[in-house]
Amino acid sequence: MDLVFNAIADGLAEEGYAVVDQFLSQEEVNAILELDEFRNGLTQFKKAGIGKSQQHQINESIRGDYIQWLDKNTAPASVKIYLDRLNDLILFLNQSLYLSLKDSEVHMTIYPAGSFYKRHLDQFKKDDHRKLSVICYLNHDWKEEHGGQLRIYLKDETKDFLPVAGRLICFRSDQLEHEVLLANRERLSLTGWMLDQHTDIR
Ligand code: OGA
Ligand code: MN
């Protein structure tokens, strides 16, 4: 994992984002796909909204994904492996980039075929505690024609990444605008944020 962690730290330091493959092995991805939540699909998930608490609203024309938050105390073993690895990554980034990340929050995500998430930033307000966005994809055999790319907006260009199984994308939540292009096939991921505050005091 050291090489992978190093690549993430370098990417964040030099470009503000990093893309690495095999953050989860194909076997680790399969174990997560076996979970009832993903097998039962949308029945156990909630429609994702935009904005926090009072401002929370569902807007189909902005985002069409469904989510379910993970609880690290009760998470099944296959998910715990991922959450523990994120925790190791937090410790690594704190040391190598002098960050003061304290915790993470992660949800399971399903984009049904035909859905997308329009261009946005993950941090809406200055007092947001989300520092890094971290997404790990769970889709075997994802091809260009399936769409669903994560598009990131850099200064003079955009870059698109396919949501292939085991790939992790990490970027500065307050700086990098991004969108999820229309997916023609169901698109699964674990979506999370590294925070500069513990989740239990939020
Ligand atoms: C998000 C998001 C990107 C992706 O959930 O805020 O931008 O590739 N996800 O799933
Ligand atoms: Mn986002």
Side-chain angles (χ1 to χ4, degrees):
M1 263 305 128
D2 270 13
L3 276 179
V4 171
F5 282 10
N6 257 315
I8 296 171
D10 286 351
L12 286 172
E14 285 157 27
E15 330 266 3
Y17 76 94
V19 182
V20 295
D21 287 325
Q22 298 289 330
F23 187 81
L24 287 179
S25 70
Q26 301 303 296
E27 294 72 34
E28 287 167 339
V29 168
N30 290 342
I32 293 172
L33 293 174
E34 291 286 309
L35 295 175
D36 283 346
E37 284 86 344
F38 277 129
R39 291 168 70 100
N40 298 340
L42 297 184
T43 52
Q44 299 200 3
F45 283 60
K46 283 205 183 70
K47 191 93 190 55
I50 43 177
K52 281 238 165 228
S53 45
Q54 307 98 311
Q55 277 114 44
H56 187 88
Q57 46 175 300
I58 306 260
N59 192 332
E60 205 64 56
S61 65
I62 295 179
R63 70 187 290 190
D65 57 326
Y66 289 73
I67 66 169
Q68 183 170 300
W69 287 99
L70 289 166
D71 176 346
K72 32 182 168 312
N73 301 310
T74 57
S78 58
V79 165
K80 191 79 172 33
I81 289 175
Y82 178 66
L83 297 178
D84 287 346
R85 198 160 296 159
L86 280 191
N87 220 35
D88 290 344
L89 179 59
I90 284 182
L91 300 178
F92 186 90
L93 294 177
N94 282 347
Q95 286 197 355
S96 53
L97 301 181
Y98 306 104
L99 301 180
S100 48
L101 304 167
K102 302 237 163 43
D103 209 347
S104 63
E105 54 184 10
V106 181
H107 59 62
M108 302 175 165
T109 314
I110 301 181
Y111 283 80
S115 62
F116 53 81
Y117 191 165
K118 287 279 164 68
R119 181 174 176 171
H120 66 281
L121 267 184
D122 283 351
Q123 215 186 63
F124 305 104
K125 296 181 250 92
K126 282 259 180 318
D127 67 353
D128 201 312
H129 293 286
R130 292 175 171 184
K131 297 298 156 195
L132 296 177
S133 303
V134 193
I135 305 145
C136 190
Y137 303 106
L138 305 171
N139 310 290
H140 292 301
D141 307 313
W142 193 277
K143 309 231 163 53
E144 204 72 45
E145 64 259 31
H146 296 134
Q149 294 88 343
L150 173 72
R151 173 167 291 172
I152 61 171
Y153 291 83
L154 303 172
K155 232 189 235 111
D156 308 308
E157 58 177 335
T158 60
K159 288 197 171 164
D160 293 349
F161 300 98
L162 294 179
V164 296
R167 172 171 285 176
L168 184 101
I169 301 207
C170 182
F171 54 85
R172 298 268 307 256
S173 306
D174 62 337
Q175 290 187 353
L176 195 83
E177 292 193 15
H178 56 282
E179 76 175 290
V180 177
L181 301 184
L182 179 72
N184 302 312
R185 185 190 132 179
E186 186 177 71
R187 178 191 193 267
L188 308 181
S189 58
L190 299 174
T191 309
W193 292 273
M194 290 178 177
L195 314 166
D196 64 358
Q197 201 179 64
H198 286 283
T199 48
D200 49 10
I201 58 168
R202 299 181 81 217

